[in-house]
Amino acid sequence: MKRMIDLRTGHPNGKHHPLLSSACEKLARAGGNELNYNPPIDERFNNWLAAFIQTRSSAAEEESHKIDTSRFIATNGVSHGLDLAMRTLVGRRRVVCTESPTYFLAFSIFADHDSEIVTVPVDENGLCIDELEHGLRDGRKIDALYLIPRHGNPSGTTLSAERRKKLAALSREYDFWILADETYDLLDWTPHKCRPKRLAYYFDRPTDKFVGLNSFSKILAAPGLRLGWIEAPLSVLDKLIQNGVVRSGGGYAPFLSSLITQFDVHTHLDALICEYRNNVNAIIQELQEHDPKGELLSVTSTPTGGYFMWLRLPPGMHPDSLLDAAKHDVTFLPDYRCHPAGESSFVSKSVNDNEQRFIRICFAMQDEPYIRQGIRSLLKHIRSLLVVSTTTK
């Protein structure tokens, strides 16, 4: 039976789910208090997490900046952390600026808080900070900015060091929250010395309105754990732990945050990175072999981390036409899903050039042979659509 190849869904491959039995045994032997009510701040988890992040961070950051272990709180993942930040810090009926394109399921979280969404485009260096600054200088106000600063979903781009520094300055000057979805920060195979410092590095003042959101869902290939963390200044964490849920129930994930400290995360993450890098190389090879001029599918930014690749379709081709043509072979996420409904640009010019349409593919969930087959199938259907388009003119 012919297999439908799913390049749409941003899930990990089930074969990579970690085996946590030995970690559970270690934790059980330790005889701790993880199954009881626990405080919202877990010092042991925070110390472990800071050391883990420090080891995986850029060489420049390692040399110049020791991570503050008091700036973390465990969560049940990025989505939970984002909702908590919106509920506790940003508030209802606020103006939230996002990248365009961005993670499409974040829109529903903002909708839950009756947010007005405005957008700023991205380019090869991430969020277009000059466009954001232009809107702010013109008097437009935002209450929060949501962005994916590294290996963006879907763009694959990483915010440059210069833009990170400028973003911190703008946040302070115009008094808006930074909600940084850093899900893919540590899924990175950029050469160590070329990695930008983490966004939190630039928000080191006690009064900074910064919330870094991260999760083990992708870096452990285990979204079912529902374990993540927030990194923020102490003044921000103090507000978060006054949340009624925390005050009633204590820490969000005391058992899981203790369990993770007993697991060899580095080895597991290194294996994921190796496979994802090979999958990206396989896609590039298929495109170079079967579409060397990039006339059918062109890569906007070659990923050096993350989960996704953002591919440009031929001029005039709508992603829905390709979805329909390939519906028995392969599926992907069309570009319009990564923009809010009735998108409102933060700047005056149009967000989208109608001639340029894109698709998002995930290189994490499928094994390499299926990824290669999926790319060849996409190219085949694009060729067929172009032939039909030419003959009907």
Side-chain angles (χ1 to χ4, degrees):
M1 183 176 178
K2 190 174 183 180
R3 170 172 172 167
M4 159 67 81
I5 298 173
D6 183 357
L7 299 181
R8 177 190 185 279
T9 307
H11 292 182
N13 190 317
K15 71 179 183 181
H16 291 305
H17 293 335
L19 297 175
L20 296 172
S21 55
S22 60
C24 288
E25 291 173 2
K26 290 180 183 177
L27 191 59
R29 287 197 298 269
N33 199 43
E34 293 81 12
L35 293 179
N36 210 329
Y37 291 108
N38 277 260
I41 305 295
D42 182 340
E43 291 186 7
R44 181 175 63 171
F45 172 66
N46 285 7
N47 290 335
W48 176 90
L49 182 61
F52 171 67
I53 294 172
Q54 191 89 52
T55 302
R56 313 294 304 201
S57 296
S58 71
E61 188 171 1
E62 284 181 4
E63 294 167 2
S64 64
H65 182 68
K66 181 174 174 60
I67 295 174
D68 186 348
T69 62
S70 67
R71 287 168 57 103
F72 299 106
I73 181 173
T75 67
N76 296 132
V78 167
S79 298
H80 169 236
L82 181 58
D83 180 75
L84 179 63
M86 289 296 299
R87 187 177 308 279
T88 308
L89 305 172
V90 180
R92 299 183 68 81
R93 302 182 185 88
R94 305 300 187 190
V95 179
V96 177
C97 184
T98 75
E99 297 168 298
S100 180
T102 193
Y103 172 51
F104 69 104
L105 291 176
F107 300 140
S108 60
I109 296 176
F110 301 135
D112 288 343
H113 299 279
D114 297 322
S115 306
E116 176 189 347
I117 299 177
V118 297
T119 64
V120 171
V122 299
D123 62 17
E124 65 276 7
N125 292 309
L127 181 80
C128 294
I129 296 294
D130 289 344
E131 301 283 353
L132 174 65
E133 182 179 22
H134 179 72
L136 293 168
R137 301 282 186 221
D138 278 354
R140 299 201 64 181
K141 176 176 170 49
I142 60 173
D143 297 291
L145 171 70
Y146 167 78
L147 77 162
I148 304 172
R150 202 157 179 180
H151 311 307
N153 174 8
S155 68
T157 59
T158 291
L159 191 67
S160 67
E162 180 182 355
R163 292 185 181 185
R164 290 167 186 249
K165 184 177 180 180
K166 190 170 185 178
L167 180 60
L170 289 174
S171 171
R172 292 167 185 145
E173 181 178 355
Y174 290 96
D175 192 34
F176 59 88
W177 287 96
I178 298 296
L179 307 175
D181 182 340
E182 300 175 312
T183 302
Y184 306 101
D185 267 34
L186 301 176
L187 269 175
D188 187 86
W189 54 90
T190 311
H192 205 56
K193 292 186 176 181
C194 298
R195 298 175 187 176
K197 296 174 183 176
R198 297 177 317 116
L199 197 54
Y201 175 88
Y202 298 92
F203 291 87
D204 57 351
R205 301 180 186 179
T207 55
D208 281 338
K209 301 176 79 169
F210 173 81
V211 180
L213 306 152
N214 215 320
S215 169
F216 288 99
S217 293
K218 298 297 195 292
I219 61 178
L220 272 186
L225 280 177
R226 308 313 308 150
L227 177 63
W229 68 91
I230 282 177
E231 180 175 6
L234 282 175
S235 60
V236 177
L237 291 186
D238 285 343
K239 294 176 182 177
L240 292 174
I241 63 176
Q242 293 306 311
N243 179 279
V245 174
V246 176
R247 296 182 69 182
S248 173
Y252 285 114
F255 176 77
L256 292 174
S257 60
S258 297
L259 179 66
I260 205 69
T261 65
Q262 305 298 318
F263 184 71
D264 185 2
V265 180
H266 287 292
T267 299
H268 192 79
L269 179 54
D270 286 341
L272 291 179
I273 287 173
C274 181
E275 175 152 334
Y276 297 165
R277 180 176 54 220
N278 290 340
N279 288 349
V280 169
N281 290 339
I283 294 170
I284 299 299
Q285 290 169 7
E286 291 296 326
L287 292 174
Q288 289 175 343
E289 179 178 351
H290 300 287
D291 183 27
K293 295 182 179 179
E295 296 172 330
L296 306 178
L297 281 176
S298 58
V299 179
T300 60
S301 178
T302 300
T304 57
Y307 256 49
F308 303 106
M309 188 177 285
W310 193 233
L311 300 172
R312 183 183 292 107
L313 294 174
M317 181 172 292
H318 195 282
D320 280 351
S321 299
L322 181 56
L323 272 176
D324 185 63
K327 61 186 177 185
H328 299 299
D329 300 325
V330 60
T331 188
F332 54 84
L333 190 73
D335 56 3
Y336 56 80
R337 291 299 307 277
C338 301
H339 301 275
E343 182 168 5
S344 173
S345 174
F346 192 59
V347 290
S348 57
K349 65 182 181 181
S350 173
V351 174
N352 292 314
D353 178 346
N354 290 330
E355 289 300 309
Q356 296 294 310
R357 303 305 300 259
F358 302 85
I359 64 173
R360 187 198 79 174
I361 62 170
C362 174
F363 50 77
M365 191 170 82
Q366 301 290 341
D367 292 328
E368 181 185 327
Y370 292 111
I371 291 175
R372 288 181 179 273
Q373 183 181 337
I375 294 299
R376 289 195 295 268
S377 181
L378 287 173
L379 293 173
K380 177 189 72 174
H381 288 293
I382 291 171
R383 283 194 186 93
S384 298
L385 287 170
L386 290 176
V387 169
V388 171
S389 175
T390 302
T391 57
T392 56
K393 285 184 179 178

